[in-house]
Amino acid sequence: MEKLYEGKAKIVYSYEEPDKVVIHFKDETTAFNAQKRDLLEGKGILNNRISSIIFELLNRNGIPTHFIRQLSDREMLAYHTRIIPVEVVVRNLATGSIMKRLGIPERTEFNPSLIEFYLKNDALGDPIICYEHVIAMNLATDEDIREIKEISLKVNSLLRNFLKDKGISLIDFKLEFGKTSSGKIMVADEISPDTCRFWDLKTEERMDKDRFRLDLGDTTKFYKEVLKRIEG
Ligand code: TMP
């Protein structure tokens, strides 16, 4: 297998069928645009499994995703896509960057859920952008954005209900979208505690990468707990 791309948390390899790729999940963990980094043993295995379960849920419910199947503890098979360089964040409750940027108090509820776009560009620190920037920079078409927004809100309602039954509150999450060579848009990348905020429904205990970002400790212990709950 030829290495096609290496990111901070994953490596993408070619596959025997050119329309598919193998995604390998690493234990490397970064925050604040890689200014903080560590190796969390077993995190890649947990994120591969959690992502696979969530992508299966989305696929079953008619949401197009790149996920085909889990191949091994650290690898999934996915459709080969060109990643649209726009990170889509959906927020249900305010926390994280929006508190600082806009002075919105923590736990403020967004109803309807809030969608934001960020430019996927590490050198610039993934700055927030608006629809007009997406169009002006030719990052995606108006039609792409309509579809991306519709899919993002569907993912939010499906995942929110699914997790609520497991005692987890979906606070916010980030999605990436890819386009296949035939032009089909699908949810790509990963959906895991690295890319979502999961709070325990009753205690509000953080069960996601904020444990690492904020030095709360026991990061993989809580990723394991997320896996245990969504498997059950
Ligand atoms: P934020 O509050 O830091 O903007 O994060 C919003 C959501 O996006 C949160 O669920 C974490 C996720 N996220 C990523 O997946 N990758 C990133 O690089 C950042 C900054 C956030």
Side-chain angles (χ1 to χ4, degrees):
M1 295 192 300
E2 184 200 345
K3 193 195 276 190
L4 299 177
Y5 171 82
E6 178 156 8
K8 286 175 284 198
K10 297 185 294 300
I11 307 173
V12 180
Y13 294 100
S14 65
Y15 188 63
E16 55 216 36
E17 297 159 54
D19 65 327
K20 301 184 176 100
V21 292
V22 172
I23 301 175
H24 175 98
F25 285 72
K26 304 192 283 187
D27 287 343
E28 266 96 338
T29 310
T30 64
F32 313 118
N33 204 13
Q35 289 177 69
K36 180 179 167 93
R37 48 171 76 231
D38 203 355
L39 209 68
L40 299 179
E41 207 187 318
K43 188 208 68 160
I45 296 173
L46 291 161
N47 277 355
N48 185 33
R49 186 71 201 120
I50 293 167
S51 283
S52 294
I53 291 171
I54 293 175
F55 279 132
E56 275 161 10
L57 170 81
L58 302 183
N59 284 347
R60 270 204 309 280
N61 284 277
I63 293 175
T65 82
H66 71 158
F67 178 82
I68 300 169
R69 66 174 186 275
Q70 194 176 341
L71 292 175
S72 67
D73 62 353
R74 285 185 186 272
E75 287 168 338
M76 67 167 61
L77 186 66
Y79 289 109
H80 194 171
T81 63
R82 185 181 58 80
I83 296 290
I84 296 171
V86 176
E87 299 192 353
V88 179
V89 168
V90 179
R91 298 182 190 271
N92 296 310
L93 286 192
T95 191
S97 68
I98 199 165
M99 292 193 295
K100 268 196 188 159
R101 181 181 306 112
L102 301 178
I104 298 174
E106 190 158 47
R107 294 180 187 77
T108 302
E109 199 179 329
F110 297 114
N111 191 11
S113 305
L114 177 63
I115 299 191
E116 297 173 334
F117 302 123
Y118 293 81
L119 178 65
K120 187 174 160 67
N121 182 323
D122 282 342
L124 298 176
D126 295 348
I128 193 166
I129 54 174
C130 66
Y131 166 83
E132 284 76 10
H133 291 112
V134 175
I135 299 299
M137 294 174 74
N138 270 315
L139 305 174
T141 66
D142 173 70
E143 203 180 314
D144 292 340
I145 289 298
R146 262 175 229 259
E147 203 172 328
I148 283 171
K149 280 167 98 171
E150 192 183 318
I151 295 173
S152 299
L153 291 177
K154 272 190 196 159
V155 171
N156 185 44
S157 56
L158 251 172
L159 195 53
R160 216 176 166 185
N161 288 330
F162 171 76
L163 292 170
K164 199 173 171 195
D165 283 345
K166 317 283 183 188
I168 297 172
S169 174
L170 179 61
I171 304 302
D172 58 29
F173 60 95
K174 183 263 302 178
L175 294 178
E176 293 188 26
F177 289 84
K179 231 183 202 186
T180 63
S181 55
S182 62
K184 188 171 164 57
I185 286 183
M186 39 184 66
V187 182
D189 194 52
E190 65 180 285
I191 304 179
S192 73
D194 269 14
T195 64
C196 303
R197 285 198 177 93
F198 298 142
W199 290 5
D200 182 278
L201 204 57
K202 290 203 184 99
T203 65
E204 294 194 342
E205 184 92 80
R206 273 56 172 174
M207 306 174 75
D208 54 60
K209 197 161 117 178
D210 271 350
R211 300 211 69 86
F212 172 73
R213 294 189 189 100
L214 308 173
D215 291 319
L216 301 173
D218 291 329
T219 305
T220 52
K221 186 185 127 190
F222 281 92
Y223 283 35
K224 273 183 205 151
E225 176 64 20
V226 168
L227 176 58
K228 194 180 120 195
R229 291 198 198 178
I230 68 174
E231 268 181 331

